Amino acid sequence: MQSEQNYVNVDDYIQNIYTKNRQKYIETGKKPGMKCITYGCQANAHDSEKICGLLSKMGYEVCGHEEDAAIIIYNTCCVRENAENRVFGNLGQIKKLKSENKDLKVILCGCMVQQDAIVEKIKQSYRFVDVIFGTFNLHKLPVLLYTNMETNSQIIDIWQGAKEAEDDLPALREFKFKASVNIMHGCDNFCAYCIVPYVRGRERSRAPESIINEVEALAKDGVVEVTLLGQNVNSYGKGLPGNVSFANLLGRVAKIDGVKRIRFMTSHPKDFSDELIETIKSNDNVCKHVHLPLQSGSTAVLEKMNRKYSKESYLELVSKLREAIPNIAITTDIITGFPGETDIDNEETINLIKKVQYAGAFTFIYSKRTGTPAAAMDCQIDEETIKRRFDKILNTLNPIVYEISKSHVGNTYEVLAEEVSKSDTGLLTGRLDDNSLVHFKGGEAFIGSFVNVKIIDCKTFYLMGKIMEG
Ligand code: SAH
Ligand code: SF4
Ligand code: F3S
């Protein structure tokens, strides 16, 4: 039990800020705007939905531009250096806005600020940031923001691990018809290049009942597509009582009425069970797409990366998946330029790309992250060599992705219409079951529903289609 002294009722702080904002609303006829800028992975995007959920309870309303906002939130990522640089670039620009509008609040949160050196830098050079909190204490935002409002000083609260319930915050969902659900937090894998375990803490699985309840409530609220999130969903259940596995959880989620599509990410190749393959195969509403990060096709590099699988075992898993589910789409992540990587290692990655025939891939240039084992390894690779290898990878991947894309042309698929296309407002954008992106003509009324779309053309990274009757 918490001592009375330490006990803070977050709801009281929400109410206090709501009262202030309500007063402003009465004076101006306008709710104060919030603008949340999110970097990084889907876990971060989902955290942002929770942050916005809290802020909307405090009386803020989503607005389109930083210039119109009363509060700007940067939910940051530090997985690669360029993600951090973008945040610093944005903060530099916001300084001007802040000097023009003394009431503007600037909040910095997420993975980047879990690093001491970054917090020091903010303290020294970005005094105008009002509130800084990390990945373990989103729920404290109302307390921190209110304290800043009262004291007008920079408030910093970073925890080093999870102490309190993380999953009972209300999310302000970006989409009405699709939602993400955390099934676990953190990561225990410690891949040698990766900072995530240091900034997201140890792996913690949520109780299956709590996940099922959340998905049931979402389905009742009109959600038709659910994405189950975890850094390594395949190890779900570790540390929970009873015999719970990801395959078992996925099977249970698939039985929930109203959930038409289930996606999940990310699958670590080292513990992808036969039971999971069977569950994907036997449930029509589990999407036939697996994101299976390879990182490198060289067993020697994989070993140095601490990935715990070999080139051969990865290929064996791919064959098993394809044998069981012939139409499954496999996508991946690849890192070029891990310390000690040779041209021969790069050729091995290229061979593997050819063998697997990926439907898509995120390709990254290795980024040295302070505090990870790889940062201290000998033989960091020079930029020119990395660039040469990286281009070779792309030149191998893109034609393969294009051929797979082309194989859809002429077929008709059920597509979930998701939004108006960002590049052409006359088009809608949706996804096939296998996660391929498709643009097609259609009115906004289709958004959130399933439509039959015939694929009429393709580019490497997307398809063009037209809605069919019926
Ligand atoms: N948990 C997921 C990935 C999370 S990070 C998994 O293991 O698959 C997403 C991707 O970023 C990783 O798959 C990896 O390809 C890339 N990545 C992580 N750290 C990196 C680094 N230091 N430099 C370059 N890419 C990195
Ligand atoms: Fe990072 Fe590896 Fe964990 Fe993925 S599994 S988050 S790459 S440490
Ligand atoms: Fe995600 Fe980036 Fe954090 S990839 S977990 S937001 S470091």
Side-chain angles (χ1 to χ4, degrees):
M1 220 174 86
Q2 267 171 310
S3 81
E4 207 150 310
Q5 225 179 354
N6 290 332
Y7 182 77
V8 239
N9 188 347
V10 174
D11 286 340
D12 289 348
Y13 287 83
I14 292 178
Q15 191 55 44
N16 289 345
I17 297 176
Y18 178 81
T19 308
K20 282 178 190 271
N21 284 335
R22 174 87 193 143
Q23 189 55 39
K24 282 193 202 132
Y25 177 67
I26 291 167
E27 286 160 16
T28 63
K30 225 169 73 180
K31 281 190 178 181
M34 59 174 162
K35 173 80 184 163
C36 182
I37 298 119
T38 310
Y39 301 84
C41 63
Q42 293 196 37
N44 238 27
H46 192 38
D47 281 353
S48 286
E49 293 186 333
K50 293 180 177 181
I51 291 165
C52 290
L54 276 172
L55 287 168
S56 85
K57 279 173 92 181
M58 293 181 249
Y60 294 93
E61 181 175 71
V62 174
C63 69
H65 302 283
E66 279 91 329
E67 287 75 14
D68 304 324
I71 187 161
I72 302 176
I73 307 102
Y74 290 102
N75 191 10
T76 64
C77 169
C78 55
V79 79
R80 285 169 294 274
E81 192 182 2
N82 58 5
E84 293 188 338
N85 290 342
R86 276 162 58 210
V87 172
F88 283 122
N90 281 338
L91 279 181
Q93 288 173 356
I94 248 35
K95 190 173 181 181
K96 187 165 165 283
L97 269 188
K98 180 85 184 172
S99 64
E100 289 162 0
N101 174 6
K102 294 275 177 260
D103 292 334
L104 174 65
K105 296 292 174 197
V106 177
I107 301 200
L108 195 64
C109 58
C111 294
M112 200 170 145
V113 299
Q114 288 294 141
Q115 306 168 97
D116 295 344
I118 298 285
V119 175
E120 266 322 298
K121 184 165 170 177
I122 304 287
K123 276 204 239 169
Q124 304 277 329
S125 314
Y126 298 85
R127 292 293 318 159
F128 62 90
V129 175
D130 294 284
V131 174
I132 302 159
F133 62 89
T135 56
F136 302 107
N137 58 343
L138 312 188
H139 61 284
K140 277 198 71 189
L141 167 61
V143 183
L144 307 176
L145 181 58
Y146 187 74
T147 313
N148 165 270
M149 286 172 167
E150 292 298 291
T151 61
N152 223 357
S153 58
Q154 189 173 63
I155 306 292
I156 303 177
D157 191 16
I158 315 281
W159 294 5
Q160 291 312 318
K163 293 183 228 166
E164 288 171 32
E166 300 166 273
D167 294 303
D168 46 10
L169 294 178
L172 185 68
R173 293 201 312 273
E174 190 185 343
F175 298 94
K176 276 196 78 58
F177 54 89
K178 65 172 186 174
S180 299
V181 174
N182 286 322
I183 63 165
M184 60 213 293
H185 299 274
C187 182
D188 280 352
N189 289 310
F190 291 95
C191 301
Y193 50 80
C194 185
I195 195 142
V196 171
Y198 305 88
V199 295
R200 287 276 173 176
R202 295 291 58 72
E203 187 177 293
R204 333 179 266 293
S205 290
R206 272 177 85 181
E209 292 69 31
S210 156
I211 297 167
I212 301 290
N213 288 344
E214 185 174 336
V215 178
E216 280 174 350
L218 288 167
K220 282 206 185 87
D221 199 30
V223 166
V224 291
E225 180 178 300
V226 165
T227 303
L228 306 177
L229 292 182
Q231 293 299 347
N232 175 12
V233 292
N234 298 349
S235 69
Y236 171 77
K238 219 171 64 183
L240 289 180
N243 194 9
V244 281
S245 64
F246 179 56
N248 179 275
L249 176 76
L250 185 61
R252 286 177 69 184
V253 171
K255 302 281 173 308
I256 296 173
D257 263 356
V259 182
K260 303 261 174 36
R261 273 185 180 177
I262 304 154
R263 301 189 184 278
F264 54 89
M265 62 183 320
T266 300
S267 290
H268 195 303
K270 81 177 156 69
D271 33 30
F272 205 112
S273 68
D274 292 350
E275 194 196 354
L276 178 56
I277 298 178
E278 193 44 47
T279 309
I280 301 171
K281 179 182 172 175
S282 58
N283 287 284
D284 286 344
N285 56 353
V286 175
C287 291
K288 303 300 178 257
H289 166 227
V290 175
H291 187 66
L292 201 61
L294 170 68
Q295 316 302 1
S296 168
S298 151
T299 299
V301 174
L302 288 169
E303 205 163 295
K304 284 190 215 146
M305 285 178 163
N306 192 28
R307 289 289 289 179
K308 302 200 169 75
Y309 54 86
S310 62
K311 170 175 94 178
E312 288 76 18
S313 63
Y314 186 97
L315 283 172
E316 199 182 312
L317 171 59
V318 169
S319 319
K320 269 204 277 187
L321 274 163
R322 287 252 158 84
E323 204 171 296
I325 314 160
N327 60 339
I328 196 150
I330 302 177
T331 56
T332 201
D333 293 349
I334 292 169
I335 299 177
T336 307
F338 184 79
E341 181 196 72
T342 63
D343 280 342
I344 294 170
D345 292 324
N346 199 53
E347 284 308 313
E348 294 220 56
T349 303
I350 284 172
N351 282 336
L352 214 123
I353 292 170
K354 289 182 186 159
K355 280 195 177 132
V356 178
Q357 297 281 302
Y358 290 108
F362 295 111
T363 46
F364 304 110
I365 284 178
Y366 167 71
S367 172
K368 191 171 168 176
R369 306 284 64 208
T370 308
T372 62
M377 285 179 187
D378 293 338
C379 307
Q380 303 281 330
I381 313 292
D382 66 90
E383 242 175 72
E384 205 178 302
T385 307
I386 293 189
K387 177 84 180 62
R388 176 170 50 78
R389 290 181 191 160
F390 189 72
D391 287 347
K392 241 180 150 177
I393 299 251
L394 288 187
N395 290 337
T396 311
L397 257 170
N398 289 347
I400 292 173
V401 174
Y402 178 71
E403 280 305 312
I404 294 182
S405 196
K406 209 166 89 182
S407 69
H408 291 100
V409 176
N411 299 339
T412 299
Y413 299 92
E414 192 172 59
V415 168
L416 176 57
E418 301 193 356
E419 57 191 337
V420 173
S421 160
K422 292 193 176 83
S423 50
D424 180 345
T425 51
L427 297 176
L428 294 180
T429 296
R431 281 188 191 270
L432 274 54
D433 175 282
D434 73 2
N435 212 35
S436 304
L437 197 70
V438 56
H439 301 298
F440 53 98
K441 263 209 181 85
E444 283 186 36
F446 286 113
I447 291 176
S449 57
F450 288 95
V451 281
N452 287 322
V453 173
K454 181 170 182 179
I455 308 304
I456 51 176
D457 195 7
C458 78
K459 297 278 183 285
T460 305
F461 302 111
Y462 63 89
L463 306 167
M464 295 302 298
K466 67 171 185 199
I467 295 189
M468 304 302 281
E469 298 301 322

